[in-house]
Amino acid sequence: MPESASLPDVPRPLFGVTDSALGRSWVERLDRTGALMANAIAQTHGLPDLLARVVAGRGVSVQNAPGFLQPRLRDLMPDPNVLTDMPAAAARIAEAVRRREPVAIFGDYDVDGACSAALLSEYLRACGCAVAVHIPDRITEGYGPNVTAVRQLAADGARLLVTVDCGTAGHEPLAEAARLGLHVVVLDHHGAPDELPPAVAIVNPNRQDDLSGLGHLCAAGIVFLTLVALARELRRGERPGDPPQPDLLAGLDLVALATVADVVPLTGLNRAFVRQGVAVMRTRGRPGLAALMDVSRLAGAPEAWHLGFVLGPRINAGGRIGDASLGARLLVESDQIAATTMAETLDRLNAERQQIERAAVMEAEAVAGMLLADNPDLPAFVLASPDWHPGIVGLVAARVKERYGRPVFAFAGKPDGSATGSGRSIPGVDLGRAVRAAVTCGHAVKGGGHAMAAGATVGPDGLERFRACLERELGAAVGALAGAPDVLHVDGVLSAGGASVELVQALAEAGPFGSGQPEPCFAFGRHRVCDLREIGAGHLRVTLKSGDGASLKAVAFRAVGQPLGAALQQARDGEAHVAGTLTIDRWGGGERAELRICDVAAP
């Protein structure tokens, strides 16, 4: 009988772990059927067994494995016209190009907004258009287009306004644009209201009448598809002597950066965007990104995770606590000296942001802990402080969500009693829908977002009404998840000696990893925890040693003062089961495998 046939239909707890340091049960990701699929993938395509297990663990079949391992745009690109309003959007932008009309681009202040604005403005300028880019100030303007900015852009001579990563719910400012004779094209991906604002075209795969199935794309992905449609439209009217069209593929580095930083699912087309975009980024052809990689002290070529954890936060830093337009300007800067100056500013702002964030997170976690002690069944946290900077409330919400495993909204209070906040959710709980319901009921002045992240503004004394609305809207979904067991899915069992650079490189073939495509997680049974010490801002560095004497360096990020850190401290110089993801450490030259610890359990 083959070994796989003896596997149980329901995976048993790995190493018998049912209550880890984070309260999780460890189980193998593959059940019996999955293990059989992994064997078939390995045998059919000649893949290493562990890589085949990782591929099968992402729901990939034998016939789809080659396309999964080599995602290519030419295989995955849809016809852009499957998006509602795309023909009208491409036609109007093409008209602006042919007539050399002044174009204004209104973006969001996050990475996706900056990349979208840079991608579109770079292309239009290469086509000969005069382009003005406006990124709103987070504090004085808030999210999305506003009447004051629209009036100024029209006064400056714009004939066409393109909003990117915003605009779907901008009724008042877009109505003002129409009154001023300013044509509007919206390129967005946020949840859409029932009634859409006036515009020539609203291209948004998440509008209710869109059947494209592309709702997983970020705004930069939508902009890229729009540029494909625009290029096709321009070719139809091409005349002898017209300049050559810009290279669309050169902008894939921006699409990849936005896709990873906006935490959209890395499935289908998004995988190709990131895989090919990272390859473009490695050529260092964009001075702004090259400078940002240098000031970030990036060792070696960029990988997908660098986009979300190294480059993205620095671009975001300008929009959080500094000049909101700095990130977008850096991405289109052609002068290397100017780009280096901008990158250094963003790096400094990011360091300042980290300090501000740490103090706010400590306060927020303490308040959340007290609220949970009073009401263990609380479905969501709504936290607020007049001392929190509006630019870091989303990060505060994310940290508290990670700590307590339920949706969180964090608000920065203003002197007049109003507050601006940002929220983060958990899988299976649609926070954006709840915020739109709060706006409809008058419990929020404005707001919107995705299932996993949202923003809102409440008026004076409106915080309690917003809190009650959120708890009511989310109660059933959170309650349904409350009884579900917390599980850590493990892709395989390794020992310290088996965690090699060659293994990490082989597993990278199944990447990119991120939202919707979890990094492979491995369990190390009964390893000795040695050389435990604190590094950086609350991280722990350890060495894991197996029974045969082999060792593996490991790090647990933000573990000090948390259950994970406490478990490692308790296991110091003793044995523990350790789980985590593998990466290559290139710090100081050379290459070595390193484990990023995500959980620990007593043997």
Side-chain angles (χ1 to χ4, degrees):
M1 177 183 294
E3 181 181 340
S4 58
S6 65
L7 294 172
D9 291 324
V10 179
R12 300 173 188 167
L14 195 61
F15 303 141
V17 176
T18 57
D19 187 19
S20 69
L22 300 184
R24 296 187 287 195
S25 176
W26 294 7
V27 301
E28 291 193 70
R29 191 180 300 276
L30 296 179
D31 57 11
R32 179 186 178 191
T33 302
L36 291 171
M37 179 64 71
N39 287 339
I41 290 173
Q43 293 170 9
T44 302
H45 301 293
L47 299 182
D49 289 343
L50 203 52
L51 176 58
R53 287 182 62 83
V54 169
V55 172
R58 273 81 195 147
V60 180
S61 65
V62 174
Q63 57 267 35
N64 291 334
F68 178 84
L69 293 170
Q70 294 294 330
R72 297 181 297 186
L73 279 179
R74 68 182 182 186
D75 298 329
L76 296 167
M77 271 288 291
D79 181 344
N81 284 349
V82 300
L83 286 154
T84 300
D85 273 3
M86 180 61 86
R92 181 61 187 89
I93 300 173
E95 180 183 354
V97 171
R98 294 189 184 109
R99 294 181 176 181
R100 298 296 189 265
E101 292 179 335
V103 179
I105 298 173
F106 194 108
D108 189 17
Y109 37 62
D110 68 357
V111 177
D112 193 15
C115 290
S116 298
L119 184 66
L120 181 59
S121 65
E122 190 171 63
Y123 192 92
L124 293 180
R125 285 172 181 145
C127 289
C129 285
V131 181
V133 175
H134 181 84
I135 306 294
D137 183 273
R138 184 186 291 263
I139 298 175
T140 61
E141 295 180 78
Y143 169 77
N146 59 82
V147 169
T148 301
V150 166
R151 287 173 178 167
Q152 186 60 56
L153 292 170
D156 291 341
R159 298 290 300 149
L160 172 65
L161 170 64
V162 184
T163 69
V164 293
D165 200 25
C166 61
T168 299
H171 290 273
E172 184 182 1
L174 268 56
E176 178 64 11
R179 188 188 71 80
L180 295 170
L182 190 60
H183 290 177
V184 178
V185 170
V186 174
L187 306 178
D188 196 8
H189 71 133
H190 291 89
D194 293 336
E195 183 179 348
L196 297 174
V200 171
I202 297 178
V203 181
N204 184 336
N206 290 306
R207 55 184 282 179
Q208 296 181 22
D209 60 347
D210 187 281
L211 303 177
S212 66
L214 296 172
H216 60 293
L217 299 186
C218 68
I222 300 301
V223 170
F224 185 84
L225 291 183
T226 304
L227 293 180
V228 172
L230 172 61
R232 185 168 58 191
E233 186 73 21
L234 291 173
R235 280 195 298 271
R236 287 182 183 143
E238 205 166 30
R239 294 167 297 186
D242 283 351
Q245 291 191 18
D247 180 10
L248 268 172
L249 298 183
L252 284 175
D253 53 352
L254 299 179
V255 182
L257 177 57
T259 298
V260 174
D262 218 49
V263 202
V264 293
L266 294 185
T267 57
L269 181 58
N270 282 339
R271 284 178 55 76
F273 277 151
V274 174
R275 180 73 74 87
Q276 294 186 226
V278 169
V280 172
M281 195 178 295
R282 287 172 178 167
T283 68
R284 294 176 62 90
R286 188 175 300 278
L289 282 180
L292 199 62
M293 287 188 278
D294 290 342
V295 302
S296 304
R297 295 163 294 281
L298 200 64
E303 300 173 20
W305 71 270
H306 289 125
L307 279 57
F309 291 98
V310 179
L311 303 180
R314 285 168 170 80
I315 292 175
N316 260 337
R320 293 192 185 282
I321 62 172
D323 179 354
S325 68
L326 190 56
R329 287 190 283 119
L330 171 72
L331 295 175
V332 296
E333 180 56 61
S334 59
D335 181 80
Q336 191 64 61
I337 295 176
T340 298
T341 300
M342 292 181 188
E344 289 172 344
T345 300
L346 287 171
D347 188 55
R348 175 179 54 79
L349 289 172
N350 188 57
E352 293 176 10
R353 184 271 306 168
Q354 289 172 328
Q355 290 183 326
I356 296 170
E357 177 192 344
R358 278 193 288 271
V361 167
M362 288 180 61
E363 180 183 353
E365 286 185 341
V367 173
M370 290 188 290
L371 291 173
L372 201 59
D374 290 340
N375 182 7
D377 298 323
L378 196 65
F381 294 114
V382 177
L383 311 171
S385 171
D387 298 325
W388 294 346
H389 192 289
I392 55 93
V393 288
L395 301 172
V396 171
R399 296 289 180 263
V400 177
K401 185 257 306 187
E402 290 173 6
R403 174 75 183 270
Y404 293 105
R406 60 196 69 198
V408 179
F409 237 99
F411 282 90
K414 299 179 181 179
D416 65 356
S418 64
T420 300
S422 187
R424 299 293 183 269
S425 194
I426 57 177
V429 180
D430 191 338
L431 189 59
R433 182 197 57 78
V435 170
R436 291 192 291 277
V439 173
T440 300
C441 296
H443 301 317
V445 176
K446 63 177 182 177
H450 314 288
M452 297 295 289
T457 298
V458 298
D461 304 320
L463 205 58
E464 288 304 318
R465 287 186 286 115
F466 181 84
R467 177 183 284 111
C469 178
L470 206 67
E471 292 179 1
R472 182 173 64 252
E473 292 290 330
L474 300 182
V478 174
L481 295 172
D486 197 0
V487 174
L488 176 66
H489 290 105
V490 176
D491 288 280
V493 175
L494 290 173
S495 66
S500 65
V501 170
E502 292 73 23
L503 173 63
V504 181
Q505 291 171 335
L507 295 174
E509 292 299 309
F513 302 111
S515 176
Q517 292 291 331
E519 280 196 80
C521 178
F522 298 101
F524 296 77
R526 300 193 75 97
H527 276 56
R528 183 169 293 278
V529 178
C530 307
D531 306 325
L532 179 69
R533 67 186 189 280
E534 183 175 347
I535 60 171
H539 313 312
L540 289 176
R541 169 76 71 183
V542 302
T543 298
L544 302 179
K545 291 187 176 181
S546 57
D548 61 3
S551 63
L552 173 66
K553 298 292 184 183
V555 62
F557 290 110
R558 296 194 301 272
V560 175
Q562 304 295 329
L564 182 59
L568 285 170
Q569 293 281 4
Q570 187 173 359
R572 182 198 292 263
D573 297 327
E575 289 185 336
H577 301 314
V578 181
T581 60
L582 289 170
T583 187
I584 297 176
D585 177 21
R586 296 183 175 90
W587 185 259
E591 293 184 339
R592 60 203 66 84
E594 179 179 82
L595 182 71
R596 292 178 180 168
I597 299 173
C598 66
D599 206 355
V600 175

